Amino acid sequence: MKKSKRLLIIFGLLLVIFPGCDKNKVFEGYKSIPGAVWERDSIAQFIVPVTDTVMYNNLYVNIRNNISYPYSNLWLFIEIAQPNGESVKDTFELTLADPLGKWTGDGFGDLRTLQAIYRENVYFPVAGEYKINIQQGMRVKGLTGISDIGLRVEKNQRSGKE
């Protein structure tokens, strides 16, 4: 077996064996982009169950792109819908490569993973299921080179609302 495949298997096993070590994680999920072509009208929806309405949280956007991605940045449209129907819409820019073309994400081979803070110190005012929708906001119909989009919600180190 090649060394890179062996490392990938070991990394996968570690993810399965130690999922409980991340005490701050409230939610984490990924949606695969079919064929690594993200259509303009395709929305990745994440359902985040919330029970704690006092704790502050940090929200992260996770992107997996391959090195054939033709741009240095990625614009996203993000909507957070509360269980009571209220929603907030936002535009968010991620920098995937520096001005010299070096990818900012981690990884080896053709795939890079970037985790970027979207919002800090967020609290969810209503308990229930929050729907977080993420849509690509680039000016192309089919955005090539994005293989997965992810969302992570984790507890902030602050103890709660003041």
Side-chain angles (χ1 to χ4, degrees):
M1 193 176 335
K2 291 184 180 180
K3 187 175 183 177
S4 62
K5 285 185 181 179
R6 200 173 319 138
L7 287 174
L8 189 60
I9 291 171
I10 291 170
F11 179 71
L13 288 172
L14 289 174
L15 286 176
V16 171
I17 293 170
F18 297 112
C21 295
D22 193 352
K23 294 178 184 173
N24 289 332
K25 181 174 81 171
V26 174
F27 173 86
E28 187 164 27
Y30 278 90
K31 302 289 181 177
S32 292
I33 306 299
V37 178
W38 197 358
E39 299 297 333
R40 185 182 316 160
D41 60 352
S42 179
I43 297 172
Q45 184 175 81
F46 300 92
I47 307 294
V48 180
V50 171
T51 56
D52 187 340
T53 59
V54 177
M55 180 62 68
Y56 281 98
N57 299 277
N58 293 332
L59 280 59
Y60 296 87
V61 172
N62 300 329
I63 296 289
R64 289 189 183 127
N65 67 286
N66 58 47
I67 60 174
S68 66
Y69 182 72
Y71 306 102
S72 64
N73 68 337
L74 174 63
W75 284 97
L76 301 173
F77 300 132
I78 301 175
E79 178 183 21
I80 301 173
Q82 296 180 20
N84 63 10
E86 292 183 32
S87 67
V88 175
K89 294 181 181 179
D90 201 2
T91 303
F92 182 62
E93 181 184 19
L94 287 152
T95 301
L96 300 180
D98 68 18
L100 297 175
K102 183 176 187 264
W103 296 108
T104 56
D106 296 325
F108 55 92
D110 291 347
L111 194 61
R112 298 292 180 266
T113 302
L114 176 68
Q115 182 174 79
I117 186 80
Y118 165 57
R119 287 190 174 192
E120 293 181 285
N121 301 322
V122 172
Y123 76 95
F124 298 106
V126 179
E129 290 186 342
Y130 282 71
K131 294 178 182 172
I132 301 179
N133 297 320
I134 303 177
Q135 184 177 14
Q136 65 103 336
M138 302 296 280
R139 296 180 186 207
V140 295
K141 186 175 186 256
L143 182 62
T144 60
I146 302 294
S147 61
D148 301 277
I149 178 76
L151 177 74
R152 178 178 172 89
V153 179
E154 68 179 34
K155 296 176 193 172
N156 194 313
Q157 297 303 320
R158 296 174 66 175
S159 61
K161 294 190 293 188
E162 295 171 355

